[in-house]
Amino acid sequence: MSTHTHTEERHITSNKTYIIVWAALMVMTAITVYVSYINFGMLNIVIALVVASIKASIVALYFMHLKIEDSITWVFALFPLTLLALLIAMTMTDMFTRTVVP
């Protein structure tokens, strides 16, 4: 039988917080749908991705409880995003430095 030396803290999130988060997600979904009907050209994709990123951040912070986690959990959560940014940056560097061969 093992004993644990650390105390486990319980974090209870109120129903009011979940309702506010749900309302924010619904508003951002409505913004995404509204923007899809307006022609902003190439900005439609940018706006949709920004709103989707904000929504994903809210879900991670509140529903996955990252807001109350310790720093090592943040490292494991942000590491894949860093790799994604690196992958996108390297792809963009390749795309913008190519020359057109006739």
Side-chain angles (χ1 to χ4, degrees):
M1 179 179 224
S2 66
T3 59
H4 297 286
T5 58
H6 71 286
T7 59
E8 189 174 311
E9 295 181 25
R10 295 190 151 255
H11 298 281
I12 300 174
T13 307
S14 68
N15 289 338
K16 180 181 177 182
T17 303
Y18 284 125
I19 291 171
I20 292 170
V21 168
W22 175 79
L25 292 173
M26 291 299 110
V27 166
M28 286 187 227
T29 300
I31 289 170
T32 304
V33 171
Y34 179 73
V35 167
S36 70
Y37 288 110
I38 299 172
N39 186 10
F40 289 114
M42 289 299 291
L43 284 180
N44 278 3
I45 295 171
V46 173
I47 293 169
L49 286 175
V50 167
V51 172
S53 298
I54 294 170
K55 286 169 55 176
S57 299
I58 289 173
V59 168
L61 286 172
Y62 288 97
F63 294 122
M64 296 173 66
H65 305 288
L66 280 180
K67 186 177 179 182
I68 56 176
E69 288 295 330
D70 56 350
S71 59
I72 192 69
T73 305
W74 275 95
V75 169
F76 285 115
L78 294 178
F79 183 68
L81 295 176
T82 305
L83 291 178
L84 177 64
L86 182 65
L87 178 68
I88 290 172
M90 292 176 76
T91 303
M92 295 307 255
T93 302
D94 179 46
M95 292 296 293
F96 291 135
T97 58
R98 288 184 180 206
T99 58
V100 178
V101 178

